[in-house]
Amino acid sequence: MEPVYDTVIGMARTLWLAQGLKFTISGVENVPVSGPGVVAINHTGYLDFTLAGIPAHLQGRRKVRFMAKQEVFDNKVGGPIMRALRHIPVDRGNGAASYQMAVDYLRDGELVGVYPEATISRSFEIKGFKSGAARMALDSGAPIIPTVVWGAQRIWTKGHPKAMGRNNFKIAIGVCEPILPNGTAEEVTQRLHDSMSTKLDELQQMYAQWNGPYPAGEFWVPAKLGGGAPTLEQANALDAAEAAEKAARRAAREQAAGDDAGKN
């Protein structure tokens, strides 16, 4: 029993009920009843992780330890909660410690949640993957549990207002067959990318059958489906520009700090 985690789950379910969210969930049987698993999640919005934990909860009330950026743990309110839930802080300037913590969790039989895309996909398609999920699986012997969430971007995503009130949105969650850690990190990563891309296509098609045709021009609908989201190529260009801008600001701060130190 984990009182804090169970309380957070209860609060999340209450919020979903108040919002009128409607779920269709498939592939719960692909989550191991016991033992480790790298829960690899696509990233379309800020609430993906709360929804991606549902299949594990349905499979024997299992809990997922998510990897999240250090800034969340530094927050005075969120930090203590994240630590109580035994999630894993990720310092992007020194990722070795968080990586080792994740591998240790897996060796202890935990489910560890990761975003192979690293950042939110503005196109709402599957971006290129980092190899971290594959390397964790290879180092720990744990299978990868590909998990795809579709529709969460309607609630809260990058660059668009939140819709946290009663919205009656539909959310689709699909868990793919586990990927065993066989081969190189590159080979495992490619199998993971292929699996999640296929599942996303399935969920997108099913969503249209369930929810009706995709509205043309809507921000949350991918360009390939007639929506207003940027294409994958356009989104990658936006990400690259944003990364360059952040790097420039960081370099400027470091330069300013060095100049101040020189004056003292």
Side-chain angles (χ1 to χ4, degrees):
M1 294 294 292
E2 296 186 47
V4 177
Y5 211 136
D6 291 334
T7 298
V8 170
I9 290 174
M11 293 171 62
R13 294 177 68 178
T14 300
L15 174 62
W16 298 334
L17 182 63
Q19 290 177 307
L21 299 185
K22 297 174 177 62
F23 296 95
T24 178
I25 302 170
S26 59
V28 171
E29 69 279 2
N30 291 321
V31 180
V33 176
S34 61
V38 180
V39 180
I41 314 156
N42 68 315
H43 206 1
T44 63
Y46 293 111
L47 300 180
D48 295 330
F49 74 99
T50 64
L51 304 169
I54 294 176
H57 182 74
L58 295 175
Q59 186 72 299
R61 300 180 68 84
R62 298 205 66 187
K63 296 174 173 64
V64 182
R65 315 300 173 181
F66 291 98
M67 302 186 76
K69 59 184 180 181
Q70 181 64 51
E71 290 88 335
V72 179
F73 289 81
D74 293 338
N75 183 275
K76 292 181 179 179
V77 176
I81 296 173
M82 294 292 283
R83 285 185 284 273
L85 301 180
R86 297 180 57 216
H87 293 325
I88 302 169
V90 178
D91 181 352
R92 291 178 178 173
N94 180 22
S98 57
Y99 177 86
Q100 188 58 53
M101 182 182 294
V103 171
D104 289 344
Y105 272 23
L106 291 166
R107 288 172 177 166
D108 288 341
E110 298 273 10
L111 298 175
V112 173
V114 300
Y115 290 120
E117 297 167 289
T119 57
I120 287 176
S121 173
R122 303 174 197 251
S123 69
F124 310 125
E125 298 295 337
I126 301 292
K127 296 168 53 176
F129 280 2
K130 306 293 186 182
S131 64
R135 290 186 290 109
M136 287 176 199
L138 290 166
D139 285 349
S140 66
I144 302 178
I145 315 300
T147 304
V148 178
V149 178
W150 179 245
Q153 73 273 22
R154 300 181 70 181
I155 304 172
W156 188 14
T157 192
K158 190 170 188 175
H160 296 280
K162 291 180 282 188
M164 299 298 290
R166 189 164 186 84
N167 48 53
N168 298 314
F169 291 157
K170 294 180 173 66
I171 307 293
I173 304 171
V175 184
C176 312
E177 291 186 4
I179 294 175
L180 299 180
N182 299 324
T184 65
E186 291 75 18
E187 291 168 342
V188 175
T189 299
Q190 187 60 58
R191 295 204 302 272
L192 175 61
H193 192 278
D194 292 345
S195 175
M196 293 181 69
S197 296
T198 298
K199 178 59 67 176
L200 179 60
D201 286 342
E202 291 175 2
L203 293 185
Q204 288 174 341
Q205 293 173 24
M206 182 195 68
Y207 197 88
Q209 296 171 358
W210 180 32
N211 198 49
Y214 286 105
E218 283 290 328
F219 79 87
W220 60 273
V221 179
K224 73 173 187 180
L225 297 175
T231 65
L232 183 59
E233 292 75 16
Q234 291 169 337
N236 287 339
L238 290 170
D239 289 343
E242 183 178 72
E245 184 179 344
K246 288 181 178 179
R249 289 201 301 267
R250 184 166 56 249
R253 288 196 300 269
E254 291 172 354
Q255 180 64 48
D259 291 345
D260 289 342
K263 292 176 183 177
N264 294 331

